[in-house]
Amino acid sequence: ELRSAYEAGGLKALLERHLRFEQERSGQPCGQRPTVAASYYAQLGDAEGVFRCLGEEARLGSLLTFAPINPFFAPYRSDPRWAAYLEAMNLRE
């Protein structure tokens, strides 16, 4: 199914379908891996999705995150929500 999505609509369609699949499978808006979902939303240009999932990661208290070094999040680092995320995760950039 993911292959069909990619063949039909490219990377954007693949990412969107994978996000829906994870949401359906887990019953959670950001799936079981919020940081991965956030990176997909970042690639789709969806700031609301990015920060919703990063907020979920912070709420879950993840101990290890690669978000600060993930280049997909570079366009969102000037958003005040990025600083709030780092603070919630007890991180500095």
Side-chain angles (χ1 to χ4, degrees), residues 54 58 68 80-93:
L54 290 179
R81 295 174 289 182
W82 180 258
Y85 162 74
L86 292 177
E87 186 176 322
M89 294 295 289
N90 198 26
L91 297 169
R92 283 190 248 174
E93 198 156 19

Side-chain angles (χ1 to χ4, degrees), residues 51 76-86:
F51 290 107
Y76 303 98
R77 292 188 176 125
S78 62
D79 189 303
R81 295 174 289 182
W82 180 258
Y85 162 74
L86 292 177

Side-chain angles (χ1 to χ4, degrees), residues 1-17:
E1 188 174 339
L2 294 175
R3 181 178 177 181
S4 296
Y6 180 75
E7 289 172 350
L11 181 60
K12 181 180 181 197
L14 172 66
L15 294 173
E16 289 171 342
R17 180 60 194 118

Side-chain angles (χ1 to χ4, degrees), residues 16-91:
E16 289 171 342
R17 180 60 194 118
H18 194 269
L19 284 165
R20 281 193 312 276
F21 174 76
E22 286 297 318
Q23 292 166 352
E24 292 164 2
R25 187 173 70 129
S26 69
Q28 304 296 317
C30 295
Q32 293 182 344
R33 299 175 305 173
T35 307
V36 172
S39 73
Y40 290 175
Y41 282 116
Q43 292 174 73
L44 293 168
D46 181 345
E48 297 308 314
V50 168
F51 290 107
R52 180 177 56 252
C53 292
L54 290 179
E56 181 65 11
E57 178 193 31
R59 187 188 72 73
L60 292 172
S62 298
L63 297 176
L64 179 64
T65 183
F66 294 101
I69 61 170
N70 186 328
F72 293 131
F73 296 120
Y76 303 98
R77 292 188 176 125
S78 62
D79 189 303
R81 295 174 289 182
W82 180 258
Y85 162 74
L86 292 177
E87 186 176 322
M89 294 295 289
N90 198 26
L91 297 169

